[in-house]
């Protein structure tokens, strides 16, 4: 069976579409997180999502429903306490990691399921996961065009919010909750590290090469979707776990772009020297 | 005389302890008021107090109802990587792209992290001036500016640039004010319609 046959197989259609929705939503959120210097928060939220997904599974809830509970709680706590910076996110990661494996060790689910959440269980995505991913995509498509100008103003002109006594907590909380929800649904489908890579790597590449913000968002979508498809095909063809393959594919893309930029830089420098 | 955009009465402000005051001042529509004084006399603290960023220890600050403030701090926010063009930044802040000075037009399609310190400073000041604010607070806006750009900033602060068109678009209304802090006396003399010295 060829890779294309596998992709088109009805058995894999739902996982493919579910993952694609996640791969299109997480990277633009990652661009905003990178701009807000909050990208580590995504890893913290992913750990909390994984821990609460596992707890949910122990109580009989599907991972895609259990995961948002922990992540949304983390997002709300972060927003209300004004916790910012790597130290707060570091503690979030440690707490989530500790809770994840303690829950795994003390329930009948065992460490296997814990590792499954870290690695990703995209191929087991069904109608519920698809509905969650599409709902998330719809929510992001509706919310981000309104949130982006507010978040941009807050980032570049932070004093205007205070000076005009604006209810800034509304849009900061909205973005924190959207991020938490996206990380939770992402973690429950493409895995903890896969979701984190989709937040970080496409945005990092786009920040290096995009000529402006519109292009940053376009590139984020293209790199997220492209990296995801590449990983999907490779994981199926080579019979590998999806999460690690996705991370490897995205890192390879990042390294390729960086090498390309390096080559362009060297070529330009040589041309300048010749012109002199 | 018209109603002031801002009235400061017997203000003492600081951060836990007094830094500036007591002082009183008004900013009327159409005015560019300069605050002058030695380093550390509390000029920036006064702007911070008006913008709710410093403690009001005595006195009061009265704003015209519905007043919108733009506050440009001494150093604009500069991140290591900012994939945003000047035009995009202005659009996010609701700033008009019309009548933008040619020097800014020329660089407005570039990423803001590729602009020089002076170009970026001027872009941020333009975002404050050409935006929706009624009162513009500028803290040391000449930072990073060479003499040529300083002259451009002075020109940006002229009454005709600050005035807004009425709803019909036919008439210019001098309904906005600027309160700016600088340690450069000559710039203040050139740009301001009135100066206040803080002891």
């Amino acid at each position: 069976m060829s890779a294309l046959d596998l992709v088109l197989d009805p058995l894999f259609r739902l996982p493919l579409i579910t993952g694609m929705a996640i791969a299109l939503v997480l990277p633009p959120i990652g661009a905003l997180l990178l701009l807000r210097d909050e990208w580590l928060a995504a890893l913290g939220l992913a750990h909390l999502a994984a821990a609460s997904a596992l707890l949910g599974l122990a109580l009989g809830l599907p991972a895609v429903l259990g995961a948002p509970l922990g992540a949304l709680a983390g997002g709300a706590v972060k927003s209300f306490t004004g916790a910012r910076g790597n130290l707060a996110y570091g503690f979030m990661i440690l707490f989530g990691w500790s809770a994840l494996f303690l829950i795994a060790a003390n329930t009948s689910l065992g460490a296997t399921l814990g590792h499954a959440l870290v690695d990703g269980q995209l191929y087991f995505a069904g109608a519920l996961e698809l509905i969650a991913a599409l709902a998330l995509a719809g929510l992001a498509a509706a919310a981000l065009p309104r949130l982006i100008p507010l978040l941009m103003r807050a980032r570049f002109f932070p004093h205007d919010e205070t000076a005009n006594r604006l209810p800034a907590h509304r849009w900061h909380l909205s973005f924190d909750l959207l991020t938490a929800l996206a990380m939770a649904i992402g973690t429950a489908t493409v895995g903890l590290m896969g979701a984190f890579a989709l937040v970080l790597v496409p945005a990092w590449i786009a920040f290096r090469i995009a000529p402006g913000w519109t292009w940053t968002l376009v590139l984020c979508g293209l790199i997220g979707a492209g990296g995801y498809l590449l990983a999907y095909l490779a994981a199926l063809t080579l019979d590998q776990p999806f999460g690690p393959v996705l991370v490897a594919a995205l890192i390879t893309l990042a390294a390729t772009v960086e090498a390309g930029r390096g080559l362009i830089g060297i070529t330009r420098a040589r041309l300048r020297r010749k012109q002199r | 005389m018209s109603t002031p955009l801002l009235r400061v009465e017997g203000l003492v402000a600081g951060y836990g302890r007094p830094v500036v005051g007591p002082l009183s001042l008004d900013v009327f529509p159409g005015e560019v008021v300069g605050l002058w004084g030695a380093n550390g006399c509390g000029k920036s603290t006064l702007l911070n107090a008006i913008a709710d960023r410093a403690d009001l220890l005595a006195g009061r600050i009265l704003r015209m109802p519905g007043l919108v403030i733009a506050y440009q701090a001494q150093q604009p926010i500069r991140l290591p990587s900012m994939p945003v063009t000047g035009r995009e930044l202005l659009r996010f802040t609701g700033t008009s792209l019309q009548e933008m000075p040619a020097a800014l037009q020329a660089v407005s399609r570039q990423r803001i992290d590729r602009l020089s310190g002076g170009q970026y400073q001027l872009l941020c000041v333009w975002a404050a001036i050409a935006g929706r604010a009624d009162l513009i607070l500028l803290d040391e806006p000449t930072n990073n500016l060479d003499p040529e750009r300083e002259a451009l900033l002075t020109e940006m602060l002229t009454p005709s640039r600050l005035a807004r068109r009425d709803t019909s678009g036919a008439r210019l209304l001098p309904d906005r004010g600027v309160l700016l802090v600088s340690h450069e006396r000559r710039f203040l003399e050139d740009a301001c319609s009135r100066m206040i010295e803080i002891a």
Side-chain angles (χ1 to χ4, degrees), chain A residues 37-173:
Chain A
D37 213 9
E38 290 189 330
W39 53 271
L40 202 53
L43 190 57
L45 290 169
H47 274 84
L48 292 180
S52 73
L54 204 58
L55 191 62
L57 284 170
L59 300 172
L61 272 178
V64 77
L65 292 183
L69 298 177
L72 286 173
V77 167
K78 172 187 166 294
S79 207
F80 284 123
T81 57
R84 300 248 155 148
N86 289 341
L87 199 63
Y89 308 142
F91 276 102
M92 205 189 271
I93 293 165
L94 291 174
F95 175 78
W97 177 81
S98 165
L100 173 65
F101 287 102
L102 280 175
I103 294 164
N106 289 286
T107 59
S108 58
L109 303 162
T112 316
L113 257 180
H115 283 296
L117 271 173
V118 174
D119 293 347
Q121 41 186 4
L122 181 63
Y123 302 129
F124 300 104
L128 189 62
E129 283 76 13
L130 177 65
I131 291 167
L134 291 179
L136 171 70
L139 185 66
L144 285 178
R146 291 174 200 188
L147 284 175
I148 285 173
L150 296 165
L151 297 175
M152 284 288 184
R153 280 207 290 271
R155 188 66 178 120
F156 290 106
F157 304 99
H159 306 324
D160 286 0
E161 285 183 347
T162 325
N164 291 298
R165 299 161 188 167
L166 298 175
H169 62 277
R170 283 189 203 160
W171 43 91
H172 293 294
L173 177 65

Side-chain angles (χ1 to χ4, degrees), chain B residues 151-167:
Chain B
L152 182 57
L153 174 62
T154 308
E155 205 247 309
M156 280 159 61
L157 292 169
T158 53
S160 60
R161 286 266 193 197
L162 291 171
R164 284 188 285 215
R165 295 204 176 272
D166 63 3
T167 44

Side-chain angles (χ1 to χ4, degrees), chain B residues 7 31-32 61 75 109 113 120 137 152 175 187 194:
Chain B
R7 170 159 287 170
E31 274 195 316
V32 178
I61 297 168
Q75 296 295 336
R109 289 180 198 277
D113 54 1
Y120 186 50
L137 308 177
L152 182 57
D175 60 348
F187 165 71
R194 186 157 62 89

Side-chain angles (χ1 to χ4, degrees), chain B residues 81-110:
Chain B
S81 184
M82 301 186 285
V84 177
T85 65
R87 279 175 173 261
E88 286 170 330
L89 186 70
L90 294 176
R91 212 165 35 233
F92 289 136
T93 57
T95 306
S96 165
L97 297 176
Q98 291 176 340
E99 298 172 30
M100 187 166 30
L104 283 179
Q105 286 270 14
V107 296
S108 66
R109 289 180 198 277
Q110 284 183 34

